[in-house]
Amino acid sequence: MIFKSWMSYLKDDVKITDVVMPSAHNACSYELNAMGCCQSGDLFEQFSHGVRHFCIRLDTDRKGEIVVCHGVSKGGPFKRDLNDMRRMLEENDSEIFIFDIREYYNQKFGPVTLKFKADINQMNDLLEEYIQPSKYAFTDFDDINNVTIGDIRKSGKRYILYNFEKAYKFSVNCEYDFPWDKRINGLKAEGFSKEVTKLFDLGKPTGLNWFQIQQTPNLGTEIGVKTPKSLDVKLRPYFKNIIDDVANNEKYLSRANIIASDFMTEDFMKSSLILKLNLSKNNIKEELRDDFLTKLEEKYNG
């Protein structure tokens, strides 16, 4: 199936910052409570739906085990998701990943600041046991803007382990932008769909670009506090319009890179639309363009 091997269609000279890849926002939140749940499938299911960038946030439970989380909502042990990550690496050696892994950021509620912790030594042990960053993490670069798919292929490496503090062995802090605006991300579905591409104007012109197509429930916003699922149901009918707006704007298309959303495994609609942008950016091997488009449209229409 193309979604497990779509990177095999990419030209060697395409820069990693130009590849358009589906991303799972809060990838490990599939078993959290309704307010914390942003995905319905586990990491391997997300991989099977084309996802190659994984947003993973961590904390520690009362027993001292590192667990996945979305804010105060805690999930299962991280080692279970690491096992899925190992399966991805074993499934198809044409595929390259970006694993964005860190502790959840501090959250302030009035005078109280909640802090999240995942012991670095324990993390290093877990990462090495399951996905062997010493062997598979790509670190041999000075500037992410110059890294091509061919560079990673030739190195024999399989993923970039991103952490802005370089907290883990073989993790990197490369140029990486994820613009967000409380007003835009807090709009109702129709208004959000018309405004969200303006996030490209807020971001930097270089580096990895993480464009997030999901609303963010917050007090004081138009949507207020809603579950991610209820928001996604109303936003899905507008998803194609958003991607078309990216495709039809030269500046936005040039910056299209990591495109994230919630509930990536509901069907193949989101990934199909995101991946088709690689055709618009001329990232696909010429002799495989028709096959790439045909297989994407089969799943999208199916």
Side-chain angles (χ1 to χ4, degrees):
M1 183 171 67
I2 190 172
F3 292 91
K4 287 187 176 182
S5 61
W6 67 263
M7 283 190 156
S8 65
Y9 289 75
L10 293 173
K11 299 175 182 177
D12 274 341
D13 62 357
V14 176
K15 293 180 178 179
I16 190 73
T17 54
D18 283 328
V19 175
V20 188
M21 65 182 76
S23 165
H25 172 244
N26 284 314
C28 297
S29 63
Y30 51 91
E31 288 186 344
L32 302 188
N33 61 35
M35 284 306 301
C37 181
C38 297
Q39 301 296 334
S40 54
D42 62 31
L43 265 63
F44 192 79
E45 291 177 81
Q46 293 167 30
F47 157 74
S48 301
H49 280 70
V51 172
R52 296 295 178 267
H53 172 276
F54 296 84
C55 160
I56 298 171
R57 302 295 177 254
L58 304 172
D59 195 13
T60 301
D61 66 13
R62 294 178 180 178
K63 297 178 181 178
E65 182 163 25
I66 293 176
V67 295
V68 299
C69 74
H70 179 191
V72 296
S73 300
K74 289 185 176 63
F78 180 43
K79 63 178 65 174
R80 178 176 58 180
D81 298 289
L82 280 167
N83 192 56
D84 275 351
M85 292 159 71
R86 178 165 59 192
R87 287 180 65 199
M88 297 176 207
L89 296 173
E90 294 171 348
E91 180 76 15
N92 209 316
D93 62 9
S94 65
E95 305 308 285
I96 296 163
F97 306 88
I98 299 177
F99 296 136
D100 176 348
I101 305 175
R102 61 175 170 85
E103 299 164 338
Y104 202 84
Y105 59 87
N106 293 347
Q107 290 192 303
K108 192 169 184 178
F109 296 92
V112 178
T113 299
L114 298 180
K115 296 185 177 182
F116 301 83
K117 185 65 177 174
D119 180 76
I120 291 175
N121 291 327
Q122 189 178 350
M123 277 295 299
N124 281 328
D125 290 343
L126 283 171
L127 291 168
E128 190 60 35
E129 178 182 354
Y130 283 91
I131 61 171
Q132 294 182 268
S134 61
K135 182 177 181 180
Y136 293 117
F138 182 72
T139 61
D140 189 20
F141 62 93
D142 296 318
D143 184 350
I144 192 66
N145 295 286
N146 296 326
V147 175
T148 68
I149 290 297
D151 292 332
I152 303 176
R153 285 170 174 163
K154 291 173 188 174
S155 73
K157 308 296 184 180
R158 299 294 308 283
Y159 58 83
I160 291 173
L161 179 58
Y162 174 78
N163 181 281
F164 73 101
E165 295 181 325
K166 296 200 292 188
Y168 316 127
K169 293 178 181 177
F170 306 100
S171 60
V172 297
N173 178 20
C174 55
E175 189 177 5
Y176 180 29
D177 198 26
F178 36 98
W180 179 86
D181 181 274
K182 183 176 181 178
R183 185 195 69 82
I184 292 175
N185 290 83
L187 292 171
K188 292 181 180 178
E190 184 175 5
F192 174 79
S193 70
K194 295 175 180 177
E195 296 287 317
V196 66
T197 54
K198 293 180 181 178
L199 293 177
F200 283 112
D201 295 321
L202 302 178
K204 300 174 184 176
T206 56
L208 297 170
N209 183 288
W210 185 18
F211 174 54
Q212 300 183 56
I213 308 179
Q214 76 274 330
Q215 297 145 289
T216 306
N218 261 312
L219 292 172
T221 63
E222 192 174 271
I223 56 174
V225 179
K226 298 283 195 307
T227 66
K229 182 63 176 178
S230 66
L231 293 171
D232 186 67
V233 168
K234 292 183 178 180
L235 183 60
R236 293 182 78 85
Y238 298 98
F239 197 86
K240 184 177 185 301
N241 296 342
I242 297 170
I243 297 299
D244 285 347
D245 285 346
V246 174
N248 294 327
N249 184 301
E250 186 176 346
K251 176 183 176 182
Y252 299 164
L253 181 62
S254 69
R255 291 299 292 127
N257 181 205
I258 299 163
I259 299 185
S261 195
D262 290 343
F263 300 99
M264 293 296 293
T265 62
E266 294 291 291
D267 50 39
F268 289 92
M269 180 269 289
K270 290 185 177 182
S271 288
S272 295
L273 291 171
I274 292 168
L275 288 174
K276 281 176 70 174
L277 291 175
N278 285 295
L279 290 166
S280 301
K281 295 187 73 168
N282 199 29
N283 290 341
I284 304 302
K285 297 172 184 175
E286 194 62 37
E287 68 276 15
L288 297 178
R289 287 178 62 88
D290 289 345
D291 184 60
F292 187 77
L293 178 59
T294 297
K295 287 180 177 176
L296 290 182
E297 290 186 335
E298 284 175 355
K299 293 302 294 186
Y300 177 77
N301 294 326

Short mmCIF file of all heavy atoms in Angstrom, two decimals, residues 207-248:
data_model
loop_
_atom_site.label_atom_id
_atom_site.label_comp_id
_atom_site.label_asym_id
_atom_site.label_seq_id
_atom_site.Cartn_x
_atom_site.Cartn_y
_atom_site.Cartn_z
N GLY A 207 13.96 26.44 7.30
CA GLY A 207 13.86 25.39 8.32
C GLY A 207 12.65 24.51 8.14
O GLY A 207 11.85 24.67 7.21
N LEU A 208 12.50 23.53 9.02
CA LEU A 208 11.30 22.70 9.04
C LEU A 208 10.11 23.56 9.42
O LEU A 208 10.21 24.44 10.28
CB LEU A 208 11.46 21.56 10.05
CG LEU A 208 12.58 20.55 9.79
CD1 LEU A 208 12.76 19.63 11.00
CD2 LEU A 208 12.30 19.72 8.53
N ASN A 209 8.98 23.35 8.76
CA ASN A 209 7.78 24.12 9.05
C ASN A 209 6.67 23.16 9.45
O ASN A 209 6.28 22.30 8.67
CB ASN A 209 7.36 24.95 7.85
CG ASN A 209 6.15 25.83 8.15
OD1 ASN A 209 5.03 25.36 8.29
ND2 ASN A 209 6.39 27.13 8.26
N TRP A 210 6.14 23.34 10.64
CA TRP A 210 5.09 22.48 11.17
C TRP A 210 3.78 23.26 11.13
O TRP A 210 3.49 24.06 12.01
CB TRP A 210 5.46 22.05 12.59
CG TRP A 210 4.54 21.07 13.22
CD1 TRP A 210 3.63 20.27 12.61
CD2 TRP A 210 4.44 20.78 14.63
NE1 TRP A 210 2.96 19.49 13.52
CE2 TRP A 210 3.45 19.79 14.78
CE3 TRP A 210 5.10 21.26 15.76
CZ2 TRP A 210 3.09 19.26 16.03
CZ3 TRP A 210 4.75 20.74 16.99
CH2 TRP A 210 3.77 19.76 17.13
N PHE A 211 2.99 23.03 10.09
CA PHE A 211 1.72 23.71 9.87
C PHE A 211 0.61 22.83 10.44
O PHE A 211 0.40 21.71 9.99
CB PHE A 211 1.52 23.94 8.37
CG PHE A 211 0.18 24.51 7.98
CD1 PHE A 211 -0.30 25.67 8.55
CD2 PHE A 211 -0.58 23.89 7.00
CE1 PHE A 211 -1.53 26.20 8.18
CE2 PHE A 211 -1.80 24.41 6.60
CZ PHE A 211 -2.28 25.57 7.20
N GLN A 212 -0.10 23.35 11.45
CA GLN A 212 -1.07 22.54 12.18
C GLN A 212 -2.50 22.90 11.79
O GLN A 212 -2.94 24.03 12.02
CB GLN A 212 -0.87 22.72 13.68
CG GLN A 212 0.53 22.30 14.14
CD GLN A 212 0.68 22.41 15.64
OE1 GLN A 212 -0.08 21.82 16.39
NE2 GLN A 212 1.68 23.16 16.07
N ILE A 213 -3.20 21.94 11.21
CA ILE A 213 -4.58 22.16 10.79
C ILE A 213 -5.50 21.53 11.82
O ILE A 213 -6.16 20.51 11.58
CB ILE A 213 -4.85 21.59 9.38
CG1 ILE A 213 -3.82 22.11 8.37
CG2 ILE A 213 -6.26 21.98 8.91
CD1 ILE A 213 -4.01 21.56 6.97
N GLN A 214 -5.48 22.09 13.02
CA GLN A 214 -6.46 21.72 14.02
C GLN A 214 -6.68 22.91 14.95
O GLN A 214 -5.77 23.67 15.22
CB GLN A 214 -6.03 20.49 14.83
CG GLN A 214 -4.96 20.72 15.88
CD GLN A 214 -3.56 20.62 15.30
OE1 GLN A 214 -3.31 19.90 14.35
NE2 GLN A 214 -2.63 21.34 15.90
N GLN A 215 -7.92 23.05 15.35
CA GLN A 215 -8.24 24.15 16.25
C GLN A 215 -7.71 23.84 17.66
O GLN A 215 -7.47 22.68 17.99
CB GLN A 215 -9.75 24.36 16.29
CG GLN A 215 -10.34 24.77 14.94
CD GLN A 215 -11.71 24.17 14.71
OE1 GLN A 215 -11.85 22.98 14.50
NE2 GLN A 215 -12.74 25.01 14.77
N THR A 216 -7.56 24.89 18.46
CA THR A 216 -7.07 24.72 19.82
C THR A 216 -8.11 25.27 20.79
O THR A 216 -8.30 26.48 20.86
CB THR A 216 -5.74 25.46 20.02
OG1 THR A 216 -4.81 25.04 19.01
CG2 THR A 216 -5.16 25.14 21.40
N PRO A 217 -8.81 24.40 21.51
CA PRO A 217 -9.81 24.89 22.45
C PRO A 217 -9.17 25.65 23.61
O PRO A 217 -8.21 25.18 24.21
CB PRO A 217 -10.49 23.60 22.94
CG PRO A 217 -9.50 22.51 22.69
CD PRO A 217 -8.72 22.93 21.49
N ASN A 218 -9.69 26.83 23.87
CA ASN A 218 -9.16 27.68 24.93
C ASN A 218 -10.25 28.60 25.43
O ASN A 218 -11.10 29.06 24.65
CB ASN A 218 -8.00 28.55 24.41
CG ASN A 218 -6.64 27.97 24.76
OD1 ASN A 218 -6.40 27.59 25.90
ND2 ASN A 218 -5.76 27.91 23.78
N LEU A 219 -10.22 28.90 26.73
CA LEU A 219 -11.10 29.92 27.25
C LEU A 219 -10.79 31.25 26.57
O LEU A 219 -9.63 31.55 26.28
CB LEU A 219 -10.92 30.05 28.76
CG LEU A 219 -11.38 28.87 29.62
CD1 LEU A 219 -10.94 29.07 31.07
CD2 LEU A 219 -12.88 28.67 29.54
N GLY A 220 -11.82 32.01 26.28
CA GLY A 220 -11.61 33.31 25.66
C GLY A 220 -11.50 33.28 24.15
O GLY A 220 -11.24 34.30 23.52
N THR A 221 -11.70 32.10 23.55
CA THR A 221 -11.69 32.00 22.10
C THR A 221 -13.11 31.76 21.60
O THR A 221 -14.02 31.47 22.38
CB THR A 221 -10.79 30.84 21.62
OG1 THR A 221 -11.33 29.60 22.12
CG2 THR A 221 -9.37 31.02 22.11
N GLU A 222 -13.29 31.85 20.28
CA GLU A 222 -14.62 31.66 19.69
C GLU A 222 -15.16 30.27 19.96
O GLU A 222 -16.36 30.09 20.19
CB GLU A 222 -14.55 31.93 18.19
CG GLU A 222 -15.89 32.04 17.51
CD GLU A 222 -15.75 32.45 16.05
OE1 GLU A 222 -15.72 33.66 15.78
OE2 GLU A 222 -15.65 31.55 15.19
N ILE A 223 -14.30 29.26 19.91
CA ILE A 223 -14.77 27.88 20.13
C ILE A 223 -14.87 27.52 21.61
O ILE A 223 -15.55 26.57 21.98
CB ILE A 223 -13.87 26.85 19.41
CG1 ILE A 223 -12.41 26.99 19.85
CG2 ILE A 223 -14.03 26.92 17.92
CD1 ILE A 223 -11.51 25.90 19.30
N GLY A 224 -14.18 28.27 22.46
CA GLY A 224 -14.21 27.94 23.88
C GLY A 224 -13.54 26.61 24.17
O GLY A 224 -12.57 26.23 23.52
N VAL A 225 -14.08 25.89 25.12
CA VAL A 225 -13.52 24.60 25.51
C VAL A 225 -14.38 23.48 24.93
O VAL A 225 -15.52 23.27 25.35
CB VAL A 225 -13.42 24.47 27.05
CG1 VAL A 225 -12.85 23.10 27.43
CG2 VAL A 225 -12.55 25.58 27.62
N LYS A 226 -13.85 22.80 23.95
CA LYS A 226 -14.54 21.69 23.29
C LYS A 226 -13.58 20.51 23.19
O LYS A 226 -12.36 20.67 23.26
CB LYS A 226 -14.96 22.10 21.87
CG LYS A 226 -15.94 23.26 21.80
CD LYS A 226 -17.34 22.84 22.15
CE LYS A 226 -18.38 23.88 21.73
NZ LYS A 226 -18.12 25.24 22.22
N THR A 227 -14.10 19.32 22.98
CA THR A 227 -13.22 18.17 22.78
C THR A 227 -12.61 18.23 21.39
O THR A 227 -13.27 18.71 20.44
CB THR A 227 -13.99 16.84 22.94
OG1 THR A 227 -14.96 16.72 21.89
CG2 THR A 227 -14.67 16.76 24.30
N PRO A 228 -11.36 17.77 21.23
CA PRO A 228 -10.76 17.73 19.89
C PRO A 228 -11.62 16.96 18.88
O PRO A 228 -11.69 17.34 17.71
CB PRO A 228 -9.42 17.04 20.14
CG PRO A 228 -9.08 17.39 21.55
CD PRO A 228 -10.40 17.37 22.28
N LYS A 229 -12.29 15.90 19.34
CA LYS A 229 -13.10 15.10 18.41
C LYS A 229 -14.27 15.90 17.87
O LYS A 229 -14.56 15.89 16.66
CB LYS A 229 -13.62 13.84 19.13
CG LYS A 229 -14.44 12.92 18.24
CD LYS A 229 -13.61 12.38 17.08
CE LYS A 229 -14.41 11.40 16.25
NZ LYS A 229 -13.62 10.91 15.09
N SER A 230 -14.97 16.63 18.73
CA SER A 230 -16.11 17.40 18.27
C SER A 230 -15.68 18.50 17.30
O SER A 230 -16.38 18.81 16.33
CB SER A 230 -16.86 18.01 19.46
OG SER A 230 -16.06 18.97 20.15
N LEU A 231 -14.51 19.07 17.54
CA LEU A 231 -13.98 20.09 16.64
C LEU A 231 -13.61 19.48 15.30
O LEU A 231 -13.86 20.07 14.24
CB LEU A 231 -12.77 20.77 17.27
CG LEU A 231 -13.04 21.62 18.52
CD1 LEU A 231 -11.72 22.03 19.17
CD2 LEU A 231 -13.88 22.84 18.18
N ASP A 232 -13.00 18.30 15.33
CA ASP A 232 -12.56 17.66 14.08
C ASP A 232 -13.75 17.30 13.20
O ASP A 232 -13.68 17.43 11.97
CB ASP A 232 -11.73 16.42 14.40
CG ASP A 232 -11.13 15.79 13.16
OD1 ASP A 232 -10.25 16.42 12.55
OD2 ASP A 232 -11.56 14.68 12.78
N VAL A 233 -14.83 16.83 13.80
CA VAL A 233 -16.02 16.47 13.03
C VAL A 233 -16.51 17.66 12.21
O VAL A 233 -16.88 17.52 11.04
CB VAL A 233 -17.13 15.95 13.97
CG1 VAL A 233 -18.45 15.84 13.23
CG2 VAL A 233 -16.74 14.59 14.54
N LYS A 234 -16.51 18.84 12.81
CA LYS A 234 -17.00 20.03 12.11
C LYS A 234 -15.98 20.58 11.12
O LYS A 234 -16.36 21.23 10.13
CB LYS A 234 -17.38 21.10 13.13
CG LYS A 234 -18.59 20.72 13.97
CD LYS A 234 -18.98 21.82 14.93
CE LYS A 234 -20.23 21.43 15.72
NZ LYS A 234 -20.64 22.49 16.68
N LEU A 235 -14.69 20.33 11.37
CA LEU A 235 -13.65 20.88 10.50
C LEU A 235 -13.38 20.02 9.26
O LEU A 235 -13.00 20.55 8.21
CB LEU A 235 -12.36 21.05 11.29
CG LEU A 235 -11.17 21.68 10.55
CD1 LEU A 235 -11.51 23.09 10.07
CD2 LEU A 235 -9.93 21.71 11.43
N ARG A 236 -13.60 18.72 9.35
CA ARG A 236 -13.25 17.82 8.25
C ARG A 236 -13.83 18.24 6.89
O ARG A 236 -13.13 18.14 5.88
CB ARG A 236 -13.65 16.37 8.57
CG ARG A 236 -12.87 15.76 9.71
CD ARG A 236 -13.26 14.31 9.96
NE ARG A 236 -12.65 13.43 9.00
CZ ARG A 236 -11.42 12.92 9.11
NH1 ARG A 236 -10.68 13.24 10.16
NH2 ARG A 236 -10.94 12.13 8.20
N PRO A 237 -15.07 18.71 6.82
CA PRO A 237 -15.62 19.12 5.50
C PRO A 237 -14.85 20.27 4.86
O PRO A 237 -14.96 20.48 3.64
CB PRO A 237 -17.06 19.53 5.83
CG PRO A 237 -17.40 18.81 7.09
CD PRO A 237 -16.12 18.77 7.87
N TYR A 238 -14.07 21.01 5.65
CA TYR A 238 -13.31 22.14 5.13
C TYR A 238 -11.85 21.81 4.84
O TYR A 238 -11.12 22.65 4.34
CB TYR A 238 -13.35 23.30 6.13
CG TYR A 238 -14.74 23.84 6.42
CD1 TYR A 238 -15.44 23.43 7.53
CD2 TYR A 238 -15.34 24.76 5.55
CE1 TYR A 238 -16.72 23.92 7.80
CE2 TYR A 238 -16.60 25.26 5.81
CZ TYR A 238 -17.29 24.83 6.94
OH TYR A 238 -18.54 25.32 7.20
N PHE A 239 -11.44 20.57 5.14
CA PHE A 239 -10.02 20.23 5.05
C PHE A 239 -9.49 20.38 3.63
O PHE A 239 -8.41 20.94 3.41
CB PHE A 239 -9.78 18.81 5.56
CG PHE A 239 -8.35 18.51 5.88
CD1 PHE A 239 -7.82 18.82 7.13
CD2 PHE A 239 -7.51 17.94 4.93
CE1 PHE A 239 -6.49 18.56 7.44
CE2 PHE A 239 -6.17 17.68 5.22
CZ PHE A 239 -5.67 17.99 6.47
N LYS A 240 -10.25 19.92 2.64
CA LYS A 240 -9.80 20.03 1.25
C LYS A 240 -9.65 21.49 0.84
O LYS A 240 -8.71 21.84 0.12
CB LYS A 240 -10.77 19.33 0.31
CG LYS A 240 -10.30 19.32 -1.16
CD LYS A 240 -11.26 18.56 -2.05
CE LYS A 240 -10.70 18.45 -3.47
NZ LYS A 240 -10.45 19.77 -4.09
N ASN A 241 -10.54 22.35 1.30
CA ASN A 241 -10.44 23.78 0.98
C ASN A 241 -9.12 24.36 1.50
O ASN A 241 -8.48 25.18 0.82
CB ASN A 241 -11.61 24.55 1.59
CG ASN A 241 -12.95 24.15 1.01
OD1 ASN A 241 -13.03 23.54 -0.05
ND2 ASN A 241 -14.02 24.48 1.72
N ILE A 242 -8.73 23.94 2.70
CA ILE A 242 -7.49 24.44 3.29
C ILE A 242 -6.28 24.00 2.45
O ILE A 242 -5.40 24.80 2.13
CB ILE A 242 -7.34 23.96 4.74
CG1 ILE A 242 -8.47 24.53 5.61
CG2 ILE A 242 -5.98 24.37 5.31
CD1 ILE A 242 -8.55 23.93 6.99
N ILE A 243 -6.25 22.73 2.09
CA ILE A 243 -5.13 22.21 1.30
C ILE A 243 -5.11 22.86 -0.09
O ILE A 243 -4.03 23.19 -0.61
CB ILE A 243 -5.21 20.68 1.17
CG1 ILE A 243 -5.08 20.02 2.55
CG2 ILE A 243 -4.12 20.16 0.24
CD1 ILE A 243 -3.77 20.29 3.27
N ASP A 244 -6.28 23.09 -0.67
CA ASP A 244 -6.34 23.78 -1.97
C ASP A 244 -5.79 25.20 -1.85
O ASP A 244 -5.10 25.69 -2.75
CB ASP A 244 -7.78 23.83 -2.48
CG ASP A 244 -8.26 22.49 -3.02
OD1 ASP A 244 -7.42 21.59 -3.23
OD2 ASP A 244 -9.49 22.34 -3.20
N ASP A 245 -6.07 25.86 -0.73
CA ASP A 245 -5.54 27.21 -0.53
C ASP A 245 -4.02 27.20 -0.45
O ASP A 245 -3.36 28.12 -0.93
CB ASP A 245 -6.12 27.81 0.75
CG ASP A 245 -7.57 28.25 0.59
OD1 ASP A 245 -8.04 28.32 -0.55
OD2 ASP A 245 -8.22 28.50 1.63
N VAL A 246 -3.46 26.16 0.15
CA VAL A 246 -2.00 26.02 0.19
C VAL A 246 -1.46 25.79 -1.22
O VAL A 246 -0.50 26.45 -1.65
CB VAL A 246 -1.58 24.85 1.10
CG1 VAL A 246 -0.07 24.62 1.03
CG2 VAL A 246 -2.00 25.11 2.55
N ALA A 247 -2.10 24.89 -1.97
CA ALA A 247 -1.63 24.55 -3.31
C ALA A 247 -1.68 25.74 -4.26
O ALA A 247 -0.83 25.86 -5.17
CB ALA A 247 -2.46 23.40 -3.88
N ASN A 248 -2.63 26.62 -4.05
CA ASN A 248 -2.84 27.74 -4.98
C ASN A 248 -2.11 29.02 -4.59
O ASN A 248 -2.25 30.04 -5.27
CB ASN A 248 -4.34 28.02 -5.10
CG ASN A 248 -5.10 26.88 -5.75
OD1 ASN A 248 -4.57 26.19 -6.62
ND2 ASN A 248 -6.33 26.66 -5.32
#
